[in-house]
């Protein structure tokens, strides 16, 4: 199966060396080839599965609870300023 | 060649919940940076999102108010992209099984003409009801906020907004003018406020809008290439940006250029849109089902339970006001745009009616007093109607004094200011200050005779056909009575004496 490894690595923000690109393209192609076997099955009347667990409607009550995750996260961040994370300059989206 | 615009709007509305969409962090505005975060909304490995039930119910509420088909089965999906406002590098959204499918919204619009102009005296242009299709309205989590201002060597990130519940309401490309876009947004906001799902505060980011705009030759069915406009912080900006974009695209096509599909930002200071020209992120989000959340089934009973709790919506209410109280279309529209204002009007009217009065006359008076005097006073002080110190019953008391002829309209305006300042009832102020209007014919008669005797020139001029001369005589009588003469009685007596 044909894999556009340039596009996929760009989307995944992965800088691949030329030799890695070739190998990964082959590996991913093989995986898709393997999964393609499922195409022989007739799934016309089968509802698509979006989740493997036989469970639905799991809710949380609307209650606010504080945590001190921010403090810990800021401690481990590469760069911070006050109570903010600091990242390299980005353009407005 | 004649071109027509094709416009679709995407509105993001923050649903009014105490906690975020998939975690228990608080949603309140104005907290210290990153205070409202936890392992789930910071995307720590091993953390698990769980859906907030209230957020789903509020989302369904919006869907029902917009006549949407509410899904029987729904699920969440990951929308993947890299940007520092997303700690997980994906946003949990809904792709192919949104909570709300197709619906529609009826919008009262005056088409291309400026509607609801400040100049009330303008001949009213009739409204046209235009049905705008709703494509879908789905749940998703908000992203964090990036701060660029004043930071030279980087950007700061605040994840307090990350994970806040949003409903994205996508309209069909049914809108045909900037004015229609404005009217659609106004109608949508009114509904969202009526059904109490959101504060709809654009300044706090709880209501946001992006516009998709394209143009095509009139008569052509196929859409032109669309451009998405972002950074629109008010409905007026949406209207201006769309107008600018229509002109830009029409001129570009006229010059033989091709429109590029792109995202443009509105620059309000310059009044122009400009291309983001960011190294195009290819908009390839690689959606896939969110494995951390199970799917949901909505029973029709649940949906019907929610439908039962919907209040009367703005347009229905406006139509009822016209029918029940006989007020004009314009007045009904203005009074129903805000739920609290509509409630204030009805409470005031109830307080005025003592049984035998003419309902439509009382309604017209209440409508005028609220729209002109009361709202002018509140707007000047930037007070919301629900925080108004004059209760609807108190305003009714004042209007009743005018209806009964006890107070002239002019004096009543002063009494209103006094009511706002002191919190006293109109009747009390009138008594204390001796403001009661004089309707005593004997007293007025005396003042009229005196005025006629003192102003022979004016009398002669009036008799010679100069209507204006009457003003001087009315003024003289008013002066004599300390401004308290009932103008209607005064006029009658004056004309009677002059024709002698
Ligand atoms: Zn959280």
């Amino acid at each position: 199966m044909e894999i556009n490894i340039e596009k996929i690595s760009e989307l995944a923000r992965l800088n691949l060396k030329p030799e890695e690109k070739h190998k990964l393209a082959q590996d991913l192609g093989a995986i898709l080839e393997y999964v393609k076997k499922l195409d022989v099955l007739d799934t016309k009347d089968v509802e698509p599965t979006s989740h493997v667990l036989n469970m639905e409607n799991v809710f949380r009550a609307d209650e606010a609870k504080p945590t001190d995750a921010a403090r810990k996260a800021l401690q481990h961040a590469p760069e911070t300023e006050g109570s903010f994370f600091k990242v390299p300059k980005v353009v407005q989206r | 060649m004649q071109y027509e615009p094709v416009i679709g709007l995407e509105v993001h509305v923050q649903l009014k919940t105490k906690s975020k969409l998939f975690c228990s962090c608080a949603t309140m505005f104005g907290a210290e940076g990153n205070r409202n975060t936890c392992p789930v909304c910071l995307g720590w490995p091993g953390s698990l999102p769980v859906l907030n039930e209230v957020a789903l119910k509020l989302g369904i509420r919006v869907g029902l108010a917009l006549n949407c088909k509410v899904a029987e089965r729904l699920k969440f999906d990951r929308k993947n992209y890299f940007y520092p406002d997303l700690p997980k590098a994906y946003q949990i959204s809904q792709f192919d099984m949104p909570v709300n499918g197709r619906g529609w919204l009826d919008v009262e619009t005056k088409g291309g003409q400026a509607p609801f102009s400040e100049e009330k005296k303008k001949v009213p242009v009739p409204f046209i009801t235009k049905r705008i299709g709703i494509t879908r309205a789905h749940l998703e989590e908000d992203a964090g906020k990036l701060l660029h201002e004043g930071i030279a060597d980087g950007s700061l990130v605040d994840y307090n907004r990350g994970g806040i519940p949003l409903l994205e309401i996508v309209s069909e490309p049914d809108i045909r003018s900037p004015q229609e876009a404005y009217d659609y947004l106004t109608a949508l906001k009114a509904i969202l406020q009526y059904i109490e799902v959101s504060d709809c505060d654009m300044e706090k980011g709880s209501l946001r809008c992006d516009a998709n705009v394209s143009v095509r030759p009139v008569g052509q069915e196929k859409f032109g290439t669309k451009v998405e406009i972002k950074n629109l912080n008010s409905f007026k900006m949406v209207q201006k940006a769309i107008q600018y974009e229509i002109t830009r695209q029409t001129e570009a096509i006229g010059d033989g250029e091709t429109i590029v599909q792109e995202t443009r930002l509105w620059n309000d200071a310059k009044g122009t849109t400009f291309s983001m020209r960011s190294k195009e992120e290819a908009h390839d989000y690689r959606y896939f089902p969110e494995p951390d959340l199970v799917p949901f089934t909505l029973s029709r009973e649940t949906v019907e339970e929610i439908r039962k709790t919907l209040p009367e919506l703005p347009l229905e209410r406006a139509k009822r006001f016209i029918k029940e109280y006989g007020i004009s279309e314009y007045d009904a529209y203005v009074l129903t745009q805000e739920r609290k204002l509509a409630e204030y009007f009805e409470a005031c009217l109830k307080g005025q009616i003592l049984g035998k009065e003419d309902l439509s006359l009382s309604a017209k008076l209440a409508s005028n007093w609220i729209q002109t005097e009361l709202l002018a006073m509140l707007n000047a002080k930037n007070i919301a109607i629900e925080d108004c110190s004059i209760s609807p019953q108190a305003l009714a008391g004042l209007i009743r004094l005018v209806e009964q002829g006890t107070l002239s309209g002019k004096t009543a305006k002063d009494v209103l200011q006094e009511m706002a300042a002191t919190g006293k009832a109109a009747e009390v102020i009138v008594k204390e200050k001796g403001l009661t209007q004089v309707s005593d014919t004997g007293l007025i008669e005396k003042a009229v005779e005196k005025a006629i005797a003192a102003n022979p020139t004016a009398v002669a001029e009036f008799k010679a056909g100069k209507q204006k001369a009457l003003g001087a005589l009315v003024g003289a009588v008013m002066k004599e009575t300390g401004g308290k003469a009932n103008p209607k009685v005064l006029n009658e007596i004056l004309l009677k004496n002059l024709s002698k």
Side-chain angles (χ1 to χ4, degrees):
Chain A
M1 194 159 221
E2 202 57 50
I3 294 286
N4 184 346
I5 197 72
E6 296 293 339
K7 185 171 185 206
I8 290 177
S9 58
E10 166 92 29
L11 284 172
R13 299 290 194 276
L14 292 173
N15 286 316
L16 300 176
K17 293 184 194 116
E19 60 271 26
E20 287 174 320
K21 277 183 189 166
H22 180 69
K23 187 168 185 317
L24 271 168
Q26 274 190 336
D27 284 356
L28 290 172
I31 291 169
L32 288 184
E33 206 60 54
Y34 178 66
V35 176
K36 217 175 147 195
K37 282 183 185 169
L38 293 171
D39 287 354
V40 301
L41 297 172
D42 179 6
T43 54
K44 200 165 80 260
D45 301 320
V46 182
E47 204 193 320
T49 309
S50 65
H51 203 282
V52 289
L53 296 181
N54 188 18
M55 244 179 149
E56 57 174 27
N57 296 8
V58 178
F59 291 109
R60 188 175 56 74
D62 182 26
E63 284 160 13
K65 290 180 207 133
T67 75
D68 72 340
R71 194 180 49 80
K72 289 182 195 154
L74 285 162
Q75 259 170 20
H76 292 93
E79 218 184 327
T80 60
E81 196 171 305
S83 62
F84 300 105
F85 297 96
K86 193 166 181 182
V87 297
K89 195 94 187 154
V90 281
V91 290
Q92 196 172 8
R93 263 187 115 251
Chain B
M1 200 184 287
Q2 273 291 104
Y3 287 88
E4 70 166 358
V6 174
I7 304 155
L9 297 174
E10 288 169 16
V11 170
H12 284 89
V13 63
Q14 177 180 344
L15 299 171
K16 213 195 289 180
T17 55
K18 292 193 204 77
S19 63
K20 291 186 179 178
L21 187 53
F22 300 114
C23 64
S24 300
C25 289
T27 53
M28 92 261 195
F29 183 79
E32 183 200 3
N34 291 300
R35 177 101 304 268
N36 299 339
T37 58
C38 75
V40 176
C41 56
L42 286 175
W44 289 6
S47 62
L48 203 61
V50 185
L51 181 64
N52 182 336
E53 188 168 18
V54 172
L56 175 62
K57 289 194 166 159
L58 291 176
I60 295 170
R61 209 169 152 75
V62 177
L64 291 172
L66 298 177
N67 310 290
C68 290
K69 189 177 179 321
V70 178
E72 288 177 29
R73 299 263 299 155
L74 60 103
K75 70 173 172 74
F76 290 88
D77 303 273
R78 291 187 181 180
K79 180 181 179 179
N80 300 281
Y81 65 88
F82 288 93
Y83 201 68
D85 64 0
L86 283 184
K88 304 190 288 286
Y90 61 83
Q91 176 192 28
I92 306 179
S93 180
Q94 295 193 285
F95 183 57
D96 57 341
M97 292 168 73
V99 56
N100 300 303
R102 285 222 171 222
W104 45 265
L105 170 58
D106 278 341
V107 176
E108 293 288 277
T109 179
K110 293 196 175 182
Q113 305 185 57
F116 333 124
S117 122
E118 317 294 308
E119 299 169 54
K120 300 245 171 61
K121 289 189 185 78
K122 248 188 188 167
V123 185
V125 183
F127 290 107
I128 301 152
T129 304
K130 171 142 181 183
R131 181 161 292 187
I132 310 282
I134 303 291
T135 313
R136 56 189 281 159
H138 66 260
L139 283 165
E140 64 183 28
E141 58 177 347
D142 203 353
K145 196 172 163 57
L146 290 174
L147 309 155
H148 310 280
E149 216 103 324
I151 307 138
D153 60 339
S155 300
L156 302 186
V157 197
D158 180 2
Y159 291 118
N160 280 347
R161 283 208 71 87
I164 294 249
L166 301 179
L167 193 76
E168 180 175 339
I169 304 163
V170 184
S171 90
E172 287 286 291
D174 288 346
I175 300 166
R176 291 288 173 273
S177 73
Q179 185 61 54
E180 265 180 33
Y182 184 89
D183 294 336
Y184 166 82
L185 291 171
T186 310
L188 180 60
K189 183 181 170 186
I191 287 178
L192 296 172
Q193 285 179 328
Y194 264 62
I195 64 175
E196 297 179 304
V197 294
S198 176
D199 296 332
C200 296
D201 188 338
M202 289 190 96
E203 276 170 33
K204 290 181 184 164
S206 61
L207 188 71
R208 305 197 289 265
C209 177
D210 301 330
N212 289 308
V213 182
S214 65
V215 298
R216 65 177 172 192
V218 172
Q220 180 183 305
E221 196 150 331
K222 197 169 161 277
F223 291 155
T225 307
K226 73 174 177 190
V227 163
E228 187 179 17
I229 318 171
K230 290 184 177 241
N231 198 32
L232 302 167
N233 300 320
S234 73
F235 292 174
K236 278 277 166 226
M237 271 189 218
V238 175
Q239 197 179 356
K240 279 195 269 179
I242 292 173
Q243 185 56 62
Y244 174 85
E245 196 53 29
I246 294 168
T247 312
R248 185 190 72 84
Q249 291 183 20
T250 309
E251 283 175 5
I253 294 171
D255 293 347
E257 290 171 36
T258 344
I259 303 298
V260 214
Q261 181 160 356
E262 60 177 350
T263 302
R264 296 177 73 89
L265 295 178
W266 172 246
N267 181 327
D268 199 50
K270 288 187 186 152
T272 59
T273 63
F274 63 96
S275 176
M276 280 185 30
R277 268 185 245 284
S278 57
K279 195 174 63 176
E280 200 44 46
E281 316 113 35
H283 285 295
D284 190 348
Y285 296 122
R286 302 278 161 138
Y287 282 96
F288 64 85
E290 166 59 273
D292 286 345
L293 287 161
V294 295
F296 296 83
T297 301
L298 290 173
S299 75
R300 293 304 93 182
E301 291 75 44
T302 309
V303 174
E304 288 315 306
E305 278 308 309
I306 297 171
R307 194 194 302 274
K308 272 187 218 148
T309 64
L310 284 179
E312 182 181 42
L313 297 178
L315 196 55
E316 292 169 52
R317 185 165 287 182
K319 285 180 179 157
R320 178 169 65 79
F321 278 10
I322 294 169
K323 202 168 148 235
E324 225 166 89
Y325 306 133
I327 58 174
S328 75
E329 201 180 39
Y330 175 89
D331 288 346
Y333 178 85
V334 174
L335 290 169
T336 51
Q337 279 310 285
E338 255 186 83
R339 182 177 179 168
K340 299 281 186 230
L341 185 64
E343 285 167 2
Y344 191 101
F345 166 75
E346 283 206 286
C348 177
L349 191 53
K350 269 202 191 103
Q352 264 169 266
I353 300 300
L354 296 176
K356 53 187 186 318
E357 293 91 342
D358 177 352
L359 182 62
S360 74
L361 194 74
S362 297
K364 182 74 199 153
L365 263 175
S367 159
N368 282 349
W369 272 90
I370 290 170
Q371 282 185 58
T372 50
E373 301 310 320
L374 191 74
L375 287 184
M377 195 171 81
L378 295 178
N379 290 342
K381 293 179 189 159
N382 204 10
I383 299 171
I385 186 81
E386 58 264 41
D387 300 324
C388 177
S389 65
I390 300 170
S391 72
Q393 290 73 25
L395 183 66
L398 176 70
I399 298 174
R400 218 161 45 224
L401 292 178
V402 180
E403 274 186 293
Q404 292 161 349
T406 312
L407 276 184
S408 70
K410 196 181 158 295
T411 315
K413 285 176 194 174
D414 299 335
V415 173
L416 184 75
Q417 298 295 332
E418 190 77 14
M419 287 165 73
T422 62
K424 286 181 185 165
E427 290 89 340
V428 175
I429 295 169
V430 166
K431 233 173 237 154
E432 280 179 3
K433 304 211 156 186
L435 293 173
T436 314
Q437 180 169 274
V438 176
S439 300
D440 179 336
T441 45
L443 234 128
I444 296 174
E445 189 104 28
K446 248 182 222 156
V448 164
E449 279 164 17
K450 209 169 159 187
I452 288 176
N455 297 283
T457 329
V459 173
E461 279 177 3
F462 177 76
K463 286 189 173 167
K466 214 171 150 195
Q467 284 292 322
K468 261 193 182 164
L470 200 63
L473 295 167
V474 171
V477 179
M478 274 299 183
K479 204 172 165 201
E480 182 67 24
T481 56
K484 286 189 265 176
N486 179 329
K488 209 170 141 238
V489 180
L490 188 164
N491 253 318
E492 276 167 21
I493 297 176
L494 186 59
L495 289 174
K496 190 189 76 196
N497 283 25
L498 283 170
S499 64
K500 265 184 197 165

